[in-house]
Every structure is written in structure tokens, then in C-alpha cells.
Amino acid sequence: MNDIVAAEHERAVDSSRPTAPKRMRLHAGLSTLADRLGVAIALIVLVVLFALVAPYFLTVVNLLDVARQISVTAILGAGLTFVIMTAGIDLSVGSAVGVTAFAAVSLTLDGAPAPLALAVALLAGFAVGLINGVLVAKLGLAAFIVTLAALTYLRGVTYVGTGGTTMFSTHLSYSVLGQGSVLGIPVPIVVMAAVFAIGWYVLERTVFGRWVHAVGGNAEAARLAGIPVRRVLVTVYVISGLCAGIGGILSSAKLQSAVPDLGTGYELSAIAAVVLGGTSLMGGRGSLIGTLVGAAIIGVLVNGLTLLDVSSFYQQIIQGVVIVMAVGLDRLRTRNAVTEGA
Amino acid sequence: MKSQVAGGPVAQLVGIAKSFAHNRVLDDVTLTLEAGRVHVLAGENGAGKSTLIKVLTGIEPQDAGDILIDGRPVEFNGPGDARALGIAVVHQELSLVPDLTVADNLMLGVEPRHRGGRLDFRSARENAVAALNRVGASLSPGVRVGQLSVGEQQLIEIARALSEDPRLLVLDEPTAALSQKEAGHLLGIVEELRAQGLAILYISHRMEEIHRLADHVTVLRDGHVADSMPRADMSEDRIVTSMVGRPVNDLYDHGRGSAQGEVRLSVRGLRSGVVQETSLEVRAGEVVGLAGIVGAGRSELCRLIAGFDRADGGEVTVDGQRVDIARAGGAAGADIAMLPESRKAQGLFLGMSIADNVCMGTALAKRRFGGTSPSRLRTAAKPLADRLRVRATSLDQPVGELSGGNQQKVLLARCLAKKPTVLILDEPTRGVDIGAKADIYGLINDIATQGVAVILISSELPEVLGMSDRVLVMHQRRIVAELTGKDMTEEHIVRYATGLVRKQVEPVEVNS
């Protein structure tokens, strides 16, 4: 197995720089590969484990179900990855899901056409992100405090708006987004895939994405290099807000309703997914693919344990332990991978 | 426990080998450290000096070989074990807590206490003052460390190491960040400690220091001992040749003609809270050295010119065009590039690739709509990295894995990517090996010849004298002298920099 990986990798790096000694190239290659795989190994282990003990687990129906279950958490995680990459945090995404869902549902109930309702929901997410971003970047307030406050007041807004009761519609005009499917794949999964594809492109294939890496890695160096640090910070919070808006739309479409406490606690699952995915809370290091894997680990764990009839009380304990273990292993791995400069 | 006899071996390293992953960093390294002797460890960055120190001080375990203390093999399970055996180390990277006071830092972990655990402030202060006196530093123990210069912080580090009463003191390039005067002072302290019977392992690649201090020199190259000689057999040629693996001649020989170009950079009455009103001009193709002791305001002045910090008044023009210096990093738009003083804190993104670091903040590698890609970044960075001879496995290698010299080259490559008309270099060769130094000097000559106006801040007098067409000396946050031609001597610089001579009282108006 190792030899195959090694050989494959050697081929991959062969073209890059012929001057480097072979052994070093190989080593560098292997460590990036390990970096890439990282927690994916944990996911594979979980999948194999559940496949062995719960036959139903490894069926297309069930796996699609897992993917649909994690879609909102994963999308929130995608936005959060941008924020956490800059060494920030956004605790308001769960409440933002609630508020945007409320905006979309109540407009629809008032007879607004679906595109308008969805646009307003996204705009609400955008606005939430903009407020967070401006307070953090321009006023220099601590992201933890700003977004903790937003978590609170946005939930309040949702309660006031819904009057504390569920707003339900039997024929929500955009319910296809929660319940429909494209070529047999549920729409939320398609949206999730799209969000990650676009997010990956922005983070890894645009100058802005490089700026996000740079600001998180060394904000002072970024400023002196002429990067508009504040604008980058505002933008990542806006991205997170937009993702929350998408999450709100998908959640309400699935439920055909706006529940007052919709999204409560989502921020914690999403942060867990991001951290599981290897993104450093200190900023600078992270990946969207990792976040997707992180969300999948949580989803597979919940699904597998449910199939095994493990009570949800125990599930929470196991989930927490798995998060600590996965992140701990990752930490050990990266510590070993640190190479010597001088 | 403490033996004050000179001449006995205190510590021996025998056949030390160490690899990181598959990368062999040390190979069969043997050296002996004797009481009352200074053993200088020389070698280019990346030769394995820092790793050897980490092994000797218990931070990293060796893969093979023995460490002997007083002839007995010992095994370190951590830095604490080495400390307990009387090995103290001052690392190159400062490890002080900036928000704590000088006294707090000095007493960190060894705080004197009253009964019941209350901190004994008076003893702490007295101990701190005593420790500072040992290194001849007249600092107030109540000052926050973050407010001090790098040089002053270095002295605190040494004072802290000495407060453990070590038998072996390891100094990793202690003068790298110091001004000439502070460095001289420090060398005096080292000599005094040697006289007291301390064994000293001194890492340095400054030839004057090796000359002055070394009882024995060991040169590392690529992880093995390239040469080792007692003082009697020591020669500059032999050391340099074994360090580089080839003879190096005429480090500073720039062969540029005298600069007679147009005035490119003109600074008028620039001032801020930390810089007094200053005016200067630099012509096309001219290299102007900026000398002075640490804290004289050289970096601060240049940071204003480059737009890193905001000025309170004054103006900067480039080729007659006024520059908007109020915008942070905005001088980049006016083609002023500055290599900041601390490459790690202010310049590099250590976790990102070489290609990323070179292109960051520049117009390189951009596609339409702000797109880019790793291959595009590599392609854009390659000519610059090649021009500076950056040594790396590939341009995708994270900058944090490179040696100091190569990191500096990456940062210089970014400065060049901005195609500057004015280039400001703040201590460009600090902590850089001789090979990289030669490359950097070559580059400075190159771009000056192409008509770029260059300001060179340097605390190494031979460097600032050798590279510059003209030297400005700063003292107490203002330019106090302009030296040209025959006046460009070390003695003159030192006299003006230390305030021994005061030429003009008014801010000087430099005319060429």
C-alpha cells in the first residue's frame, strides 16, 4: 500500500523540479499526501466499521440520507472555514439560519414569489455577515464577542418575528429545494456540492483566497505586503452570513416551515466539522475539503450509531470523544510532520 | 556541582546524528566544550547548528551518539534535565513575554516568594537589577519588555540564562540583532564569563567575533564537521572556505561607478511620534547606507517612507510625484518597496509556499476576475526565485522549512516583484549565512546599476561602508551626519552614532 502511494507520488512530483534529491522529494510528497488525507483516514475507518456491523449502512439510500443530513451543517462549515482561516470565529451562523428561514417563509406566506423570498433571505444573511465583519474588522472588536452577541439578538429577532410559534405552509413555493431531487440526488446535496465547489475555487484558485490564507497566517505581514486586510476580514464574515442564508433556505424548505428555534446549536456542529477537518483555530491553515470530511465524520457517526440502536444520550458522549480523538490525532500528526528549518 | 577550574572538559558531544523524517540534519558530529574556553560553532544557516544546540540542551533527542557531562554519558528527557546539569542557552529567537516587565521576565519560573506563596516584589526587583548588572544593562526593571529594542531584549535573555548559574553557556548568534556598540559590549561580557571559568559554546558567523573570542572553532557544513581547529591554526580563509565549501573573495566589491543619476526619492520634513523632522534624498542608482545604534530610529524613519506607519507631517516624492504616505502599505503603489526588519514577524507567511510568498500582494500570477492557480504562482515566482538563487526542493515548499538566508531571499524576491523605483532594505543580511549574503550583495549592486534608489539599513559597519555610496548616521531619532568619500570610516560612524560628536544641531538638509 505504501509503495503504491509512494510510486504514484513520485510520478506526480517528477515533473516539478528535477534538481532536488529523490529522497527528499519523495518525503515532501508523502507528507503532503498525509496532510491531504488527514482525518479522511478517520472517516474511512468509521465507514468500514459501520459497514461491517450494520449491513444497511453501506447502501445508496442510507449514504444519500447521511449526505442530506449533513448538508446544512457542511454549508455553514464552508462559510466558517473562511472565517476561521483568518483566526476569527462566527458563532452567529445557527441563529442566522433561524432568521433567514423566517424571512423566506414569512415572505412566501405573504404571497411573495419564491425568487424574491429567497433573494431576501440571502440578503439577510449578507447583512448579518456585513454587520459582524464591520464590527470585527473596522472597529477591532473581538470576533467571539461580536458574533456571540449576534447569536443572541438574531435569535431574539426570530422569536419576535415568528411570535414564538412555528410558521407553517402546506405548499411552500420553494419546498422543492428541501424535498426535490436532481437525477436522483436530493437538492440539498447538490447545493452543498455547489457551495463547496465554488468555495474551494475562491479559497484555492483566486487571489482573494490567497489573501485569506495570508491574513490568517500573519496579519501584520499581510498589511505590509499591501493586502487590504480589513476588506478581507469583512468579506469572510459576509461569506459566512451568505452560507447561513443558504442553510436557512434549505432548512425551511425541508420543514416547509420556520421554527422559532431553527438552527439552535448548528454553529457548534459546524465549528466541530471545521476543526475536525484540520483547520487551525489560530488561522492560516485549513481546507474546505477537510471541512466536508469533518461534517461527514459527524454525519456517519450519528447515522451509524442510530442504525446500531445506540441511544441518543450515548451518541452525544461518543460524538464528543470522537471529536477530541480525531483532533488530538491530527495534532500529533502535524507535530511530527514539522520539519527543521536550521 | 560547580567547578571553576579552567581547562577541564565540561561537556562532550560524540558522534551525534539526527534526522527529521528522512532528512539527515546532523551526521557524526563530535565536539568538546571545556571550562574557561570559548568554542565557536560556525557554519551557514541550514548547516545544522541550531539542531545541534537543541540536542545539547535537551530539546530534541539525538538518534545516535552520546552526550557526556564531566565524562559521564547522560540522557536528556527535556530541556529541564540539561538545565539541571548546568547547561544554559540563549536562543536566537527571543523568548520573552512582551507584556510582562523586565523584572517579571527575569524572574519567570524562579519568582522569589514570601511565606504563603505571595510574590516577594522587593527581592524580585533586587534580583532582577543584579542580573541586569551582570550584563551591564542599565534598564529599569519595571519597563514592559515589549517597549524595548531587540538589542535590549537580547541582553535580558542573556541575563536570564546567567541567573541560573550555569557551567556551560550556549549563545546562538547573540549579536545578530545588536548594534556594533551593543555587540562589543556583549563580547566583553563573554570574555569576562570565560575568565570566570564558564564553558561557552558560541554560535556565530561574524569573522571579527570569531577572531576576538574563539579558543577553538568548529565549522559545520551540511550536518557534518567540515573543519575544526584550535586558535593557533585559525585563519579567516580557512574558516570561510570550509563554511562555504569554496573560497569567497571580495564580499563587498560592488564595482559600481559613483551615482550621478536624477533624484528619485526625496523626503522633506518627515516626522512622527518617534522620528524627528527628517529630510533626505536618494539618486537613481545610489545606495545610501543608514547607520546608527539600535533604537536610533532608522527602521522607524524608513517605515514612514514606505507607508508602513503613518507620518504626522512632511512629504515624500518619488520621481517628483508626491506619495500618499498616509495609506498603509500605500507606498507600494508609488513603487517604494521595503524589506522589513523582521522577516518572520513582518514579512513571511511561514505556512505558505515559496511561490505564494513571492507573489503575495503583488500583481503577479493574476488571471482575469482575480483567479490564480498554483502553477501560475510557480511560473510567476520562478524567475525571481532563480535570480536570487533560493535553495528549496520546490517552489511549493512551505517557507517555514527554509533556512534564514533562503527565507530572506524569498522576501527580497517579493520586493523585486513590485518592480520598485525605491528599495529600502532593513538589515537584509541579519541571521543570513555567508553564501546568501554574497547573493544579496550582488543583487543590491544589480538593481542599483539598473537605476533603483536604494536605502540600506545595517548594523554591520563593514557592510554599510562596503555597500554604500554615502552613509547617513542617525542618533536619537534624527540624522546627525552625512559621510561621503574619505569620511566613510568605521570610526566616524561610531562617533556620530553614539553621540560623541555632534555636527549640526538643526536637522540636516542633505543636498545630494
Side-chain angles (χ1 to χ4, degrees):
Chain A
M1 159 80 183
N2 260 339
D3 289 340
I4 300 170
V5 175
E8 209 170 74
H9 212 86
E10 214 178 338
R11 227 176 302 130
V13 280
D14 247 344
S15 54
S16 60
R17 253 247 341 188
T19 48
K22 212 170 195 178
R23 201 184 54 188
M24 282 182 73
R25 251 189 301 150
L26 194 56
H27 164 236
L30 280 177
S31 64
T32 30
L33 198 69
D35 264 356
R36 295 253 164 85
L37 283 179
V39 282
I41 295 167
L43 177 62
I44 293 165
V45 169
L46 275 181
V47 167
V48 171
L49 218 67
F50 284 130
L52 291 176
V53 293
Y56 176 73
F57 176 79
L58 213 56
T59 59
V60 174
V61 180
N62 187 53
L63 290 182
L64 279 180
D65 198 44
V66 172
R68 200 176 45 74
Q69 295 279 3
I70 66 166
S71 56
V72 172
T73 308
I75 289 167
L76 297 180
L80 264 165
T81 305
F82 280 85
V83 175
I84 293 176
M85 282 286 292
T86 66
I89 191 75
D90 187 352
L91 297 171
S92 70
V93 291
S95 294
V97 164
V99 109
T100 51
F102 156 68
V105 172
S106 67
L107 277 173
T108 310
L109 289 179
D110 287 348
L116 178 65
L118 300 185
V120 170
L122 286 177
L123 204 63
F126 181 93
V128 167
L130 190 64
I131 293 168
N132 284 339
V134 167
L135 290 175
V136 170
K138 307 270 174 175
L139 265 64
L141 303 182
F144 188 94
I145 296 164
V146 167
T147 60
L148 182 63
L151 176 148
T152 311
Y153 68 70
L154 291 176
R155 184 59 61 198
V157 168
T158 312
Y159 274 114
V160 170
T162 58
T165 55
T166 299
M167 299 174 85
F168 183 74
S169 159
T170 44
H171 42 77
L172 196 67
S173 55
Y174 61 91
S175 65
V176 61
L177 292 179
Q179 296 163 345
S181 58
V182 179
L183 303 172
I185 299 170
V187 173
I189 300 177
V190 177
V191 175
M192 173 176 73
V195 166
F196 274 85
I198 295 168
W200 177 85
Y201 181 81
V202 172
L203 195 56
E204 302 301 334
R205 288 289 181 274
T206 66
V207 173
F208 170 77
R210 306 326 292 161
W211 288 355
V212 172
H213 281 92
V215 168
N218 190 341
E220 175 67 0
R223 184 180 77 88
L224 299 189
I227 293 168
V229 174
R230 289 177 180 182
R231 213 169 72 208
V232 171
L233 287 178
V234 172
T235 311
V236 296
Y237 286 93
V238 166
I239 290 173
S240 180
L242 280 174
C243 285
I246 296 171
I249 290 168
L250 293 181
S251 300
S252 60
K254 184 184 147 210
L255 298 169
Q256 299 211 37
S257 59
V259 187
D261 58 0
L262 177 66
T264 305
Y266 283 17
E267 64 280 347
L268 296 180
S269 318
I271 292 169
V274 174
V275 173
L276 267 176
T279 298
S280 163
L281 287 173
M282 314 302 286
R285 190 170 71 89
S287 82
L288 273 172
I289 295 164
T291 299
L292 191 57
V293 172
I297 288 177
I298 297 172
V300 163
L301 201 61
V302 170
N303 177 268
L305 292 175
T306 308
L307 289 181
L308 293 177
D309 248 349
V310 176
S311 97
S312 67
F313 300 161
Y314 280 101
Q315 279 192 24
Q316 292 203 14
I317 297 174
I318 295 169
Q319 257 192 67
V321 172
V322 165
I323 289 174
V324 171
M325 272 172 56
V327 174
L329 282 175
D330 187 55
R331 175 88 192 120
L332 278 179
R333 189 178 54 79
T334 48
R335 192 187 301 167
N336 289 337
V338 168
T339 44
E340 196 53 15
Chain B
M1 175 92 195
K2 266 180 77 177
S3 77
Q4 299 284 343
V5 201
V10 172
Q12 286 163 281
L13 296 169
V14 183
I16 300 290
K18 174 82 190 169
S19 298
F20 288 105
H22 301 291
N23 209 352
R24 177 148 278 209
V25 184
L26 291 176
D27 192 6
D28 193 23
V29 175
T30 297
L31 53 92
T32 303
L33 305 166
E34 296 174 34
R37 294 273 181 271
V38 174
H39 194 129
V40 170
L41 186 62
E44 297 202 332
N45 282 4
K49 294 171 305 195
S50 297
T51 309
L52 190 67
I53 295 167
K54 284 181 183 162
V55 170
L56 175 61
T57 55
I59 296 170
E60 294 277 358
Q62 70 270 29
D63 297 339
D66 291 309
I67 302 171
L68 309 180
I69 304 289
D70 297 326
R72 275 190 298 276
V74 291
E75 199 168 307
F76 297 146
N77 289 316
D81 293 357
R83 282 232 296 273
L85 286 167
I87 301 175
V89 60
V90 177
H91 289 288
Q92 200 178 346
E93 315 278 314
L94 298 177
S95 56
L96 301 170
V97 186
D99 281 329
L100 293 182
T101 64
V102 171
D104 289 340
N105 268 287
L106 283 168
M107 294 296 114
L108 212 57
V110 291
E111 296 87 350
R113 285 156 213 236
H114 288 302
R115 243 175 309 177
R118 250 177 345 106
L119 180 62
D120 181 352
F121 280 105
R122 191 192 292 170
S123 306
R125 212 180 156 82
E126 282 165 5
N127 293 353
V129 171
L132 289 172
N133 285 340
R134 277 189 89 171
V135 294
S138 55
L139 296 168
S140 160
V143 175
R144 274 200 321 116
V145 161
Q147 295 171 338
L148 301 176
S149 72
V150 186
E152 290 166 330
Q153 294 187 19
Q154 183 80 47
L155 288 179
I156 295 171
E157 285 272 6
I158 294 170
R160 186 159 80 175
L162 287 179
S163 68
E164 289 168 16
D165 268 332
R167 307 169 57 207
L168 167 61
L169 180 63
V170 181
L171 298 166
D172 190 357
E173 297 192 34
T175 58
L178 303 196
S179 66
Q180 203 80 5
K181 186 187 167 203
E182 285 173 312
H185 181 72
L186 184 111
L187 297 185
I189 293 168
V190 173
E191 283 167 340
E192 210 169 286
L193 295 172
R194 166 169 62 189
Q196 289 169 19
L198 216 65
I200 293 164
L201 179 61
Y202 191 98
I203 288 82
S204 176
H205 32 226
R206 288 194 183 180
M207 226 34 88
E208 330 92 277
E209 291 180 6
I210 298 177
H211 251 296
R212 179 164 161 189
L213 285 180
D215 297 304
H216 196 104
V217 179
T218 296
V219 180
L220 281 186
R221 188 171 77 236
D222 296 334
H224 63 265
V225 176
D227 202 353
S228 186
M229 67 205 94
R231 185 173 185 88
D233 302 337
M234 212 167 82
S235 83
E236 193 165 317
D237 267 359
R238 186 170 160 188
I239 296 170
V240 172
T241 307
S242 54
M243 265 165 85
V244 190
R246 62 185 153 88
V248 175
N249 304 320
D250 305 326
L251 213 49
Y252 306 114
D253 181 21
H254 54 66
R256 299 189 310 264
S258 59
Q260 296 296 338
E262 297 283 294
V263 172
R264 294 218 100 158
L265 174 72
S266 167
V267 174
R268 298 263 158 247
L270 198 61
R271 62 188 162 81
S272 77
V274 289
V275 177
Q276 300 193 31
E277 228 171 78
T278 303
S279 300
L280 61 89
E281 281 177 350
V282 185
R283 293 176 176 277
E286 192 181 25
V287 178
V288 172
L290 203 49
I293 61 174
V294 172
R298 295 170 299 166
S299 301
E300 290 78 2
L301 169 63
C302 288
R303 285 173 64 94
L304 294 181
I305 298 171
F308 284 6
D309 297 326
R310 207 164 280 197
D312 292 339
E315 66 169 24
V316 174
T317 57
V318 173
D319 292 337
Q321 298 281 329
R322 209 179 152 159
V323 177
D324 178 15
I325 45 174
R327 215 180 99 218
D335 306 323
I336 300 177
M338 175 165 170
L339 181 85
E341 185 179 13
S342 163
R343 57 178 167 267
K344 280 188 183 170
Q346 301 163 342
L348 294 168
F349 309 100
L350 295 175
M352 299 178 77
S353 72
I354 296 171
D356 262 327
N357 269 281
V358 170
C359 299
M360 191 62 69
T362 72
L364 292 181
K366 254 185 216 174
R367 272 197 313 225
R368 264 185 312 167
F369 310 122
T372 187
S373 72
S375 69
R376 222 160 227 278
L377 289 164
R378 275 198 306 272
T379 316
K382 186 154 192 328
L384 289 161
D386 286 351
R387 183 169 165 201
L388 283 155
R389 294 204 260 173
V390 175
R391 270 191 359 212
T393 51
S394 91
L395 291 180
D396 289 329
Q397 194 178 3
V399 162
E401 290 177 6
L402 302 180
S403 69
N406 279 303
Q407 288 184 345
Q408 193 72 304
K409 287 178 177 181
V410 169
L411 201 49
L412 267 168
R414 187 200 298 160
C415 289
L416 294 192
K418 291 178 174 165
K419 297 203 172 62
T421 44
V422 177
L423 180 61
I424 304 171
L425 303 167
D426 195 348
E427 303 284 1
T429 63
R430 174 180 294 170
V432 157
D433 57 80
I434 286 193
K437 249 185 199 177
D439 288 343
I440 291 171
Y441 294 149
L443 179 91
I444 294 174
N445 293 329
D446 251 26
I447 56 172
T449 310
Q450 286 164 22
V452 174
V454 180
I455 297 181
L456 171 67
I457 302 179
S458 174
S459 294
E460 277 193 56
L461 292 184
E463 174 175 297
V464 81
L465 287 169
M467 291 305 299
S468 310
D469 299 306
R470 180 156 65 91
V471 176
L472 302 176
V473 186
M474 286 188 81
H475 177 63
Q476 291 183 341
R477 305 180 287 145
R478 62 199 290 189
I479 294 175
V480 292
E482 177 190 4
L483 305 173
T484 52
K486 288 195 300 289
D487 288 342
M488 283 171 55
T489 64
E490 296 202 11
E491 196 203 331
H492 271 113
I493 293 182
V494 171
R495 280 166 163 268
Y496 287 113
T498 53
L500 285 175
V501 188
R502 227 169 252 269
K503 209 179 195 175
Q504 287 115 323
V505 181
E506 293 303 304
V508 280
E509 194 71 25
V510 183
N511 43 19
S512 76

